């Protein structure tokens, strides 16, 4: 859902340039929980829509602002990792999402939601449930 709001996104260096008029959208993706054999709809508010980027970038502090617990440390960096390591957890729906690791980037596997899933699956905000300016 396009919010009608756009912004300018600056790169990490001036020489990389910037993106102008980037749409800010509310979106949803499906997460397939293999441990519970269940699908969840992950809801995201106020995110950049940049079709040229193949992955969704989500800062950990935003996840925390949504009330989820997050542990960013990759399991390979610990001698005795627990189930809580390298995951995010929603006490509200009892869902733990384990992150994958690609080079130095953590990720979670999602896909486009179907209409059936949108109508029938449990939903979880992974960003704060608010509109811009509130």
């Amino acid at each position: 859902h396009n919010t009608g709001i756009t912004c300018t996104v600056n790169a990490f260096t001036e020489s990389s340039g910037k993106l102008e008029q980037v749409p800010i959208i509310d979106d949803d993706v499906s997460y397939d929980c293999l441990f519970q054999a269940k699908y969840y709809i992950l809801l995201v508010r106020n995110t950049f829509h940049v079709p040229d980027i193949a992955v969704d970038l989500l800062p950990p502090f935003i996840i925390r602002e949504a009330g989820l617990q997050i542990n960013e440390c990759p399991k390979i960096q610990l001698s005795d990792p627990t189930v809580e390591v390298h995951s995010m957890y929603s006490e509200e729906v009892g869902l733990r999402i384990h992150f994958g690791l690609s080079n130095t980037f953590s990720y979670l596997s999602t896909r486009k939601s179907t209409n059936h899933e949108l109508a029938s699956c449990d939903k979880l905000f992974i960003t704060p449930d608010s509109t811009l300016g509130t």
Side-chain angles (χ1 to χ4, degrees):
H1 161 248
N2 191 331
T3 64
I5 301 169
T6 62
C7 66
T8 299
V9 179
N10 294 309
F12 57 92
T13 66
E14 285 187 33
S15 63
S16 297
K18 59 186 171 184
L19 299 173
E20 301 278 354
Q21 299 293 310
V22 175
I24 296 176
I25 64 168
D26 297 335
D27 205 2
D28 61 81
V29 292
S30 284
Y31 172 73
D32 304 333
C33 180
L34 302 177
F35 298 101
Q36 296 181 12
K38 186 175 177 180
Y39 305 116
Y40 289 86
I41 303 297
L42 305 181
L43 302 169
V44 181
R45 291 224 190 243
N46 305 315
T47 189
F48 300 144
H49 179 63
V50 183
D52 292 343
I53 298 177
V55 296
D56 297 318
L57 304 175
L58 191 60
F61 76 89
I62 295 292
I63 295 171
R64 288 186 184 97
E65 285 292 313
L68 281 77
Q69 299 168 22
I70 184 168
N71 183 313
E72 307 157 61
C73 184
K75 292 183 188 304
I76 63 170
Q77 292 185 329
L78 298 174
S79 59
D80 191 21
T82 63
V83 69
E84 292 87 9
V85 173
H86 209 219
S87 71
M88 70 178 168
Y89 179 72
S90 167
E91 193 171 323
E92 177 186 345
V93 297
L95 174 65
R96 179 169 306 282
I97 298 175
H98 295 275
F99 298 124
L101 190 63
S102 178
N103 297 317
T104 60
F105 291 95
S106 299
Y107 69 90
L108 60 126
S109 296
T110 61
R111 60 181 173 72
K112 183 177 171 73
S113 304
T114 66
N115 288 335
H116 174 73
E117 289 167 339
L118 286 170
S120 62
C121 292
D122 288 340
K123 296 171 180 64
L124 173 65
F125 277 98
I126 60 172
T127 63
D129 179 17
S130 64
T131 56
L132 284 176
T134 61

